[in-house]
Each structure stands twice: as structure tokens, then as C-alpha cells.
Amino acid sequence: MTAITIREVPDPILETLKLKAAKAGKSLQAYLLDLVTREAATPTLAEMMARLDRETRADVSTSDILAAIDDGRERR
């Protein structure tokens, strides 16, 4: 595994992270590893949009949609 160093972390940020880690019952290292792991697993907006585009293709025209609406209204 590779070690990562983050330099010049402002003291208030470090203290906040330490507090959050303690509240989670984790060491700062374990807490930060969880954060980085979660971030790496989260798809980007572009990736989500590409997936949505792939999975939601429909061959329905505007006229088909309008005809279905009209049909539904006539059945009331």
C-alpha cells in the first residue's frame, strides 16, 4: 500500500477531523482512510449522467406521449 501525506492542513481543520474521528471511535488515520475510500467509490456527476443516459433510453416520440395523454383523458 502507499502512504499519502497531506501538508499544510490548517490547525482548525485538523482539530475538527480529530474530533470527528474520536466521535466515530476511530483513529485519525482510519477515519481519513474511510473518507478517502468513500470518495473514491462515489461516481462523479459525469459518470452518473453517462449511466443514466445508457440505462434510460426510450424510443418514444413526443407525438406518442401526447397521444397517450389524450387517450387517458378520453377514458375519464
Side-chain angles (χ1 to χ4, degrees):
M1 289 198 168
T2 301
I4 297 173
T5 301
I6 301 174
R7 292 182 173 84
E8 300 179 23
V9 176
D11 289 337
I13 301 297
L14 179 59
E15 290 307 315
T16 299
L17 291 169
K18 285 181 179 180
L19 184 60
K20 287 184 175 190
K23 285 183 180 180
K26 299 178 180 182
S27 67
L28 181 58
Q29 178 178 334
Y31 182 78
L32 293 174
L33 181 57
D34 284 350
L35 285 177
V36 170
T37 301
R38 195 167 45 243
E39 176 62 27
T42 303
T44 65
L45 184 56
E47 290 168 337
M48 291 184 346
M49 293 301 292
R51 179 179 174 189
L52 183 64
D53 191 47
R54 281 193 316 270
E55 295 180 4
T56 59
R57 287 281 177 194
D59 295 323
V60 180
S61 69
T62 302
S63 60
D64 292 337
I65 294 169
L66 293 174
I69 291 171
D70 289 340
D71 185 47
R73 287 179 179 159
E74 290 174 6
R75 291 184 186 183
R76 284 195 235 171

